[in-house]
Amino acid sequence: MAENGAGIGPRDAAVMEAILKEMGVEDFEPSVIHQMLEFTYRYITGVLEDAQIYSGHAGKKELDVSDVRLAVQTRVDHSFTTPPPRDFLINIARQKNSTPLPLIPEKFGPRLPPERYCLTANNYRIKDRKKPVRLRSITDIYAVLDSTRCVVY
């Protein structure tokens, strides 16, 4: 369990620590209390400023409980949202799931452009190692045929 120094700290920090203990939080960083205090101070300051604006708009000289309630309600409506009811979500899910999924096409997988435009296509040609033979006479033809051991009939 985190301690506030040696038990020294503002009264509000002790209240925040008591709230955490009451909620069953035993182990926390000391910065958590500071973050909770910062959030609380900002929230209360914003609510009281809004309540002053509402009070001035109503022509009152002092804040009233009704002004603070209106400011809190306005803040809750704009800052915190509640999830939609479960039945509403179930109806939406039924409507969405009632339309069947499209059929899988015959050709599935990633759609690629023609092979000549893909990086996977061959962009080279293998050069023959043998030099082309120039045949000038019939004796050259017989010499090539003898070297390859082909029989000509």
Side-chain angles (χ1 to χ4, degrees):
M1 173 174 31
E3 290 293 325
N4 238 0
I8 302 171
R11 186 186 63 150
D12 295 339
V15 170
M16 290 296 170
E17 190 171 345
I19 290 172
L20 287 172
K21 285 181 184 176
E22 186 178 317
M23 293 177 68
V25 178
E26 297 293 327
D27 189 27
F28 54 88
E29 296 286 326
S31 63
V32 170
I33 292 177
H34 299 295
Q35 291 171 352
M36 289 175 65
L37 284 172
E38 178 68 25
F39 174 78
T40 305
Y41 289 151
R42 279 191 194 178
Y43 182 77
I44 290 173
T45 303
V47 166
L48 290 176
E49 287 172 353
D50 290 348
Q52 280 181 334
I53 292 171
Y54 298 147
S55 176
H57 184 71
K60 301 178 193 173
K61 293 183 180 180
E62 293 183 5
L63 282 179
D64 205 351
V65 174
S66 62
D67 298 327
V68 175
R69 283 188 182 147
L70 180 61
V72 168
Q73 186 61 42
T74 305
R75 183 70 58 130
V76 167
D77 288 344
H78 292 289
S79 298
F80 305 105
T81 60
T82 57
R86 191 169 194 272
D87 296 334
F88 178 71
L89 292 176
I90 289 173
N91 286 336
I92 290 176
R94 271 198 200 110
Q95 288 174 359
K96 195 66 165 169
N97 292 335
S98 66
T99 50
L101 293 173
L103 296 175
I104 298 174
E106 294 279 331
K107 187 176 181 182
F108 56 90
R111 305 271 182 203
L112 296 175
E115 190 170 332
R116 63 184 172 172
Y117 298 117
C118 292
L119 295 177
T120 58
N122 291 341
N123 60 356
Y124 59 88
R125 286 184 290 174
I126 298 176
K127 185 177 179 181
D128 288 337
R129 290 186 185 175
K130 296 181 182 179
K131 293 182 179 178
V133 178
R134 292 188 143 199
L135 303 175
R136 296 181 188 200
S137 67
I138 193 76
T139 55
D140 291 338
I141 293 173
Y142 284 123
V144 169
L145 291 176
D146 285 339
S147 68
T148 59
R149 299 180 186 208
C150 292
V151 178
V152 176
Y153 296 102

